[in-house]
Amino acid sequence: MFHASNDGERWEFVRSFAFGAAGPVRTGFGVQAPTGEGCKVTFDDIQFEQETLQSLRDGS
């Protein structure tokens, strides 16, 4: 599951996906601006937690 937040408090469901790999998985971050002049992005406070969410739609 991929969730995103602008404030670190309210998380919104973005999409669901599976890696389909039996071994270790490498991940990365990317951004896109499908319309307009593009965008400038800064990633900060990135955390990974392996947990089961109670609600897939609201990130809780």
Side-chain angles (χ1 to χ4, degrees):
M1 299 292 160
F2 182 77
H3 290 79
S5 173
N6 288 324
D7 61 11
E9 297 293 324
R10 181 172 165 13
W11 291 86
E12 295 185 37
F13 173 78
V14 178
R15 70 178 46 178
S16 174
F17 56 90
F19 290 111
V25 175
R26 294 181 185 185
T27 61
F29 297 90
V31 297
Q32 64 179 2
T35 62
E37 298 291 322
C39 60
K40 182 176 180 180
V41 176
T42 301
F43 293 106
D44 63 1
D45 195 26
I46 297 169
Q47 299 177 26
F48 172 79
E49 297 178 19
Q50 187 170 343
E51 64 181 281
T52 300
L53 301 175
Q54 293 176 10
S55 172
L56 301 180
R57 289 290 176 186
D58 66 10
S60 62

